[in-house]
Amino acid sequence: MARKKLRSAAVIHLGSENITMQLMEYTGLDDIRIITELRSRVRLGEETFQTRKISFGTMLQIVEILKGYRQVMREYGIKSYILQATTAVREAENRQYFLDQVLVKTGFQIEVVNMSREIYTKMASLLRTLETHGNMPLPREGVLLADISSGGLGLTYVKDREVKFQQNLHVGLVRLKEQFTRNERSSIHFEQALKEYLQDRIGVVAEELADETIGMLVLTGTESQVLLDLFGKERDRKENISFSAGEVEEFYHRIHRLKESQLEKLFRLNPEETEVALPAVTLCQLLMEMSRAEKIQMPVDRFVDGMKILYIARQLDRKFLEEMLDIQMSLVRSIGNRFHYDAPHAAWVETMSCRLFDALAPSQGLDEEDKILLRAAAYLHNIGKYASMRTYDRYNYYLIDSADLLGFSEEQCHTIAQISYLYTLERPELNGSEPKDFGSGIPPLVAKLAGILRLADSLDISGRQKIRDCKVAIRGNELRVRAKSRENLSLEEWIFSKRSGFFEEVFGLRPVLEKAEEK
């Protein structure tokens, strides 16, 4: 058996409070060795949440840190890297200028990820940990994953390895601190005001999960680590730490009326930790009350760990990526359920869309990432009908564009929304009334995927899944769809013919539908 090739790479996370770099060697997900890990403190989140910008001084500080990391990479002979930034950079109004200056001064290209992709990345590490170590067994009931960062709170409800609900809220710990002045935090009324403020922010999630049985609350995120200091646990830990609901409640009632000066002295916290200590404990207690979970777990997995897992998996482990894709699509289906979509029809259209895509992809420059966008659009292509049958094209667009789609970037969500919008139109021609992000025309990728979705939907326009099987093939300048059915397909044939014009224009192929009698 041939020996696997040893590879190396740097994984760098530009977070709100730290810049972390791991240098690793690997032959696959089962064989990863961390050569070294570096972490540099940078108070980026507090500045961005206050001013909405990254200052010149902070930019220079980050540049110097990254230059140092680049030198360490050279010393180890490592050239490949992935560098991702999260909340603080994401929300900076001068983000583009900052990214450009970092590239010019260091040569590093930074990828800015939205919160949905941030949660997805951390979930990848959690899933891998569960599969390989099993030291954090999941209960048979549902699990609520709560990711607490400096700028946001991501809440994800998982049951039977499917994501049933996901919501991202702007209530991170540093952001919470910025909501109240120092004098307000010193007031005897601060604890009650803070609790009511948080209850209001997470109230919609509490309503959504009211009828669910949640066996465990899993806390992730760098900012949640301040709880370890408060509970007297070692910060540089190797194993997951757990608490019972009773322990959390008892601790909350013990400290919730203490002032910051008292917390700092009692728990020997540094000033930064002191300012977020009470918000952290209050939020933890409210999450326990909301979920009614009996146990809370704090795993060792971090964002940089998820970055590492996905970076390697994209090169070497298709099976793991398929598992993550199944998790992504489970949330997409859950969103469809929320808007009372026709699940059998959506599933049929998704399957047929993939079959058409597979036939077209080799000659049309389409790849697997494009297929994932098409699959999501197929599941969600008619959710707007729940709001309005008359104008559901626009409702389709805005519901998808504003949704938290796990693992999808903002740009990808725009693309899925655009596909769903074009699918609904009788003739997909822009006339000035469409959503503004179409700009001056329909992007070629959106047109291609919308063209595929329109044909797939036309083959089940009745919603009865009359076609039991079909074969798709390109013959010269024709895309031939041979459908097997025992039923009358007149409606499907008519709609297929009406929608063929747009497809022909986009792909340069004439769609032809043939019926084969099913024996």
Side-chain angles (χ1 to χ4, degrees):
M1 185 175 178
R3 186 176 180 180
K4 294 182 179 179
K5 179 182 177 181
L6 183 65
R7 310 183 187 207
S8 61
V11 180
I12 307 170
H13 173 214
L14 174 51
S16 299
E17 306 298 320
N18 297 285
I19 307 177
T20 304
M21 179 174 76
Q22 286 186 352
L23 300 185
M24 62 178 179
E25 290 181 333
Y26 60 95
T27 60
L29 289 181
D30 295 324
D31 180 25
I32 306 172
R33 184 175 76 89
I34 303 303
I35 302 171
T36 188
E37 178 174 321
L38 303 176
R39 183 180 300 178
S40 302
R41 182 75 170 170
V42 53
R43 301 188 68 175
L44 181 60
E46 186 170 340
E47 175 181 89
T48 304
F49 302 146
Q50 283 181 342
T51 67
R52 308 296 299 174
K53 291 187 177 182
I54 300 172
S55 70
F56 177 71
T58 300
M59 183 272 291
L60 291 180
Q61 179 189 5
I62 292 171
V63 163
E64 289 306 309
I65 292 171
L66 292 177
K67 283 182 178 179
Y69 286 1
R70 176 72 82 177
Q71 180 59 36
V72 174
M73 288 172 60
R74 291 194 190 100
E75 292 171 359
Y76 281 95
I78 293 177
K79 297 180 179 179
S80 300
Y81 75 92
I82 178 172
L83 198 172
Q84 293 183 335
T86 46
T87 311
V89 175
R90 183 168 67 231
E91 297 192 12
E93 293 176 353
N94 60 343
R95 178 176 80 180
Q96 294 303 323
Y97 305 138
F98 168 77
L99 297 177
D100 178 68
Q101 285 303 303
V102 170
L103 178 61
V104 169
K105 296 177 186 297
T106 70
F108 277 123
Q109 183 86 43
I110 299 178
E111 178 187 4
V112 182
V113 301
N114 64 358
M115 195 164 184
S116 292
R117 287 190 63 204
E118 187 177 343
I119 302 299
Y120 173 81
T121 301
K122 291 173 182 175
M123 283 187 68
S125 182
L126 279 172
L127 179 62
R128 185 65 188 167
T129 297
L130 292 172
E131 287 184 340
T132 55
H133 303 297
N135 60 346
M136 192 180 72
L138 293 180
R140 297 182 65 181
E141 303 92 344
V143 175
L144 181 63
L145 306 177
D147 183 73
I148 305 173
S149 67
S150 59
L153 170 66
L155 296 172
T156 309
Y157 175 59
V158 182
K159 186 175 183 180
D160 298 326
R161 292 180 71 88
E162 290 195 351
V163 180
K164 303 295 186 181
F165 175 80
Q166 210 276 321
Q167 183 70 55
N168 299 322
L169 308 170
H170 290 290
V171 288
L173 296 188
V174 174
R175 195 190 301 275
L176 275 174
K177 184 191 72 172
E178 299 305 322
Q179 293 291 328
F180 301 94
T181 66
R182 184 175 295 276
N183 286 338
E184 288 170 339
R185 297 200 303 271
S186 299
S187 167
I188 59 173
H189 303 293
F190 174 58
E191 179 269 334
Q192 183 62 31
L194 174 65
K195 186 173 182 178
E196 291 179 6
Y197 180 87
L198 287 172
Q199 285 174 326
D200 176 67
R201 294 300 184 273
I202 66 175
V204 63
V205 181
E207 292 176 9
E208 189 76 27
L209 301 179
D211 298 327
E212 301 292 343
T213 301
I214 300 174
M216 182 187 296
L217 173 66
V218 178
L219 280 188
T220 61
T222 305
E223 292 302 319
S224 66
Q225 303 301 301
V226 69
L227 293 167
L228 297 178
D229 287 340
L230 293 170
F231 278 95
K233 302 292 184 180
E234 291 295 328
R235 183 173 292 273
D236 295 326
R237 56 197 169 93
K238 302 295 182 182
E239 300 293 333
N240 302 316
I241 292 176
S242 64
F243 307 99
S244 68
E247 288 177 305
V248 174
E249 183 175 8
E250 180 182 352
F251 186 78
Y252 169 74
H253 287 296
R254 175 187 165 198
I255 74 157
H256 73 290
R257 295 191 183 279
L258 297 180
K259 294 183 178 180
E260 288 184 358
S261 58
Q262 294 172 307
L263 288 170
E264 182 176 4
K265 183 177 180 180
L266 184 61
F267 296 100
R268 298 179 181 178
L269 304 175
N270 62 44
E272 292 82 9
E273 291 173 326
T274 302
E275 291 174 334
V276 298
L278 185 56
V281 175
T282 304
L283 180 56
C284 182
Q285 170 63 11
L286 287 176
L287 290 173
M288 293 295 287
E289 290 179 358
M290 179 187 75
S291 64
R292 303 172 303 282
E294 298 178 355
K295 189 177 183 180
I296 180 173
Q297 281 270 12
M298 295 186 66
V300 297
D301 304 84
R302 299 165 296 166
F303 180 77
V304 71
D305 298 313
M307 288 176 62
K308 174 176 59 188
I309 294 298
L310 290 176
Y311 179 84
I312 297 173
R314 288 184 180 116
Q315 301 173 55
L316 302 171
D317 202 314
R318 182 67 190 174
K319 180 181 177 182
F320 183 79
L321 289 183
E322 287 293 339
E323 291 180 33
M324 292 302 299
L325 180 57
D326 287 343
I327 290 174
Q328 270 186 282
M329 290 302 158
S330 70
L331 177 62
V332 172
R333 291 191 295 271
S334 294
I335 292 173
N337 278 323
R338 192 179 309 163
F339 293 105
H340 304 283
Y341 79 148
D342 183 342
H345 170 71
W348 195 97
V349 171
E350 188 266 346
T351 298
M352 192 62 224
S353 293
C354 289
R355 196 164 296 185
L356 292 168
F357 180 95
D358 291 340
L360 291 162
S363 62
Q364 294 292 330
L366 300 171
D367 58 28
E368 285 299 309
E369 187 172 293
D370 302 328
K371 188 176 183 179
I372 293 171
L373 301 180
L374 176 62
R375 291 182 63 188
Y379 279 125
L380 301 176
H381 71 278
N382 60 9
I383 61 173
K385 291 181 178 179
Y386 174 73
S388 171
M389 285 295 294
R390 184 172 59 86
T391 57
Y392 77 98
D393 53 348
R394 286 185 163 273
Y395 280 101
N396 262 8
Y397 177 86
Y398 290 115
L399 286 173
I400 296 171
D401 196 45
S402 61
D404 288 321
L405 296 180
L406 189 69
F408 291 101
S409 67
E410 288 185 8
E411 182 179 356
Q412 288 174 321
C413 288
H414 285 318
T415 298
I416 296 168
Q418 289 176 325
I419 295 166
S420 73
Y421 177 81
L422 291 181
Y423 136 79
T424 63
L425 302 183
E426 187 67 26
R427 292 183 58 81
E429 297 173 353
L430 302 184
N431 56 20
S433 63
E434 63 279 341
K436 62 181 180 180
D437 72 336
F438 276 97
S440 59
I442 303 172
L445 175 62
V446 173
K448 287 183 177 182
L449 298 183
I452 293 172
L453 178 59
R454 284 164 60 82
L455 278 194
D457 179 73
S458 70
L459 295 172
D460 188 42
I461 196 67
S462 66
R464 292 167 51 194
Q465 294 85 61
K466 296 178 187 177
I467 297 173
R468 301 303 176 187
D469 192 18
C470 70
K471 293 183 179 180
V472 182
I474 296 176
R475 298 284 186 267
N477 292 323
E478 292 182 340
L479 177 78
R480 305 190 73 86
V481 180
R482 187 171 176 80
K484 291 183 179 181
S485 178
R486 294 178 179 176
E487 301 185 49
N488 186 298
L489 296 182
S490 295
L491 177 60
E492 284 73 17
E493 290 170 345
W494 296 340
I495 301 301
F496 186 92
S497 177
K498 287 182 179 180
R499 292 181 175 179
S500 294
F502 180 69
F503 184 95
E504 185 176 330
E505 181 180 353
V506 171
F507 284 97
L509 295 169
R510 178 171 299 153
V512 177
L513 175 60
E514 300 174 342
K515 180 183 177 184
E517 293 294 338
E518 194 173 34
K519 298 179 181 180

